[in-house]
Amino acid sequence: MGIQTKCFPYGIYGENTYVITDEATGYKAVIDPGYFGMDVRMEIQNNAYLKYLLLTHAHHDHFSAVSDYLKEYSAVNFAAPLKEKALMRSCPEPHTWLSEGDVITLGASELTVIETPGHTAGGICFATDKEIFTGDTLFRLSVGRTDLESGDWNTLVKSISEKLYTLDEDLVVYPGHGAPSSIGFEKRANPFV
């Protein structure tokens, strides 16, 4: 048992909204809720199944549909990075603020929060023992840009090299944009780090 991941890319930036399902219980979470469509609603199926909206960082393309989810699923817990508070001016207020080492329990599955600043000052990733959702920190053969508010190139490189590249090389990387990868592949082939 573990989690099942479905990706819903959307918009001009191709932002990846993920619906993850704990296979033991059917409980679900949406990671980076930038998209809300009928296909996502069909995947969620029932108000009782959706437990969390999880945000990796406070850029509009990643949280633009939060209000739609909160209207449709009244019991869902919206959780966002504490260190992104200053950037979340146009985002609904989270129910839960997340920091390094926090654990999200989704049925029989756990997602651990890893703080990975650089793309933004407070960006985070969500890791299980088999996959990691990296937001805009790490992409397949690329990394997040650092020329937007609160971004910093040296901090991003440090986050990737000291936090992500020290993880199990078999971890599947689910980025905020583009195709999946793995930690091992990125360590060997990513030209930016």
Side-chain angles (χ1 to χ4, degrees):
M1 291 282 176
I3 66 167
Q4 177 190 76
T5 301
K6 294 234 176 139
C7 179
F8 299 88
Y10 179 73
I12 58 171
Y13 301 114
E15 185 271 337
N16 289 335
T17 292
Y18 294 99
V19 178
I20 63 170
T21 305
D22 173 59
E23 293 175 331
T25 62
Y27 292 157
K28 298 174 187 291
V30 174
I31 298 177
D32 284 344
Y35 169 66
F36 183 70
M38 186 55 72
D39 47 358
V40 171
R41 293 167 73 188
M42 294 296 289
E43 181 63 27
I44 294 169
Q45 296 179 3
N46 184 308
N47 192 18
Y49 287 119
L50 184 61
K51 300 299 180 186
Y52 293 99
L53 301 177
L54 302 174
L55 187 64
T56 61
H57 67 286
H59 281 159
H60 188 263
D61 56 327
H62 291 260
F63 69 70
S64 59
V66 166
S67 295
D68 296 320
Y69 285 97
L70 293 176
K71 284 177 198 162
E72 183 81 13
Y73 304 100
S74 56
V76 70
N77 183 338
F78 173 38
L82 176 62
K83 292 178 181 173
E84 289 289 87
K85 217 173 198 181
L87 286 181
M88 297 187 66
R89 295 178 287 270
S90 62
C91 183
E93 181 79 12
H95 303 109
T96 303
W97 292 106
L98 300 172
S99 298
E100 176 79 22
D102 286 347
V103 175
I104 304 291
T105 301
L106 185 66
S109 300
E110 291 185 339
L111 295 95
T112 301
V113 174
I114 302 172
E115 291 182 351
T116 53
H119 175 64
T120 60
I124 62 175
C125 298
F126 296 99
T128 73
D129 57 350
K130 294 187 176 154
E131 54 267 307
I132 184 164
F133 298 87
T134 57
D136 287 1
T137 298
L138 180 65
F139 303 123
R140 181 177 176 83
L141 297 174
S142 190
V143 297
R145 59 190 289 188
T146 58
D147 60 333
L148 300 171
E149 184 180 355
S150 86
D152 182 79
W153 176 256
N154 292 330
T155 303
L156 178 71
V157 170
K158 183 176 181 182
S159 289
I160 294 170
S161 60
E162 295 182 8
K163 290 203 169 179
L164 299 186
Y165 283 1
T166 59
L167 300 172
D168 187 329
E169 293 197 356
D170 292 332
L171 276 185
V172 176
V173 172
Y174 289 109
H177 305 266
S181 186
S182 72
I183 292 293
F185 177 78
E186 295 309 314
K187 280 173 75 172
R188 291 187 297 274
N190 193 309
F192 293 95
V193 182

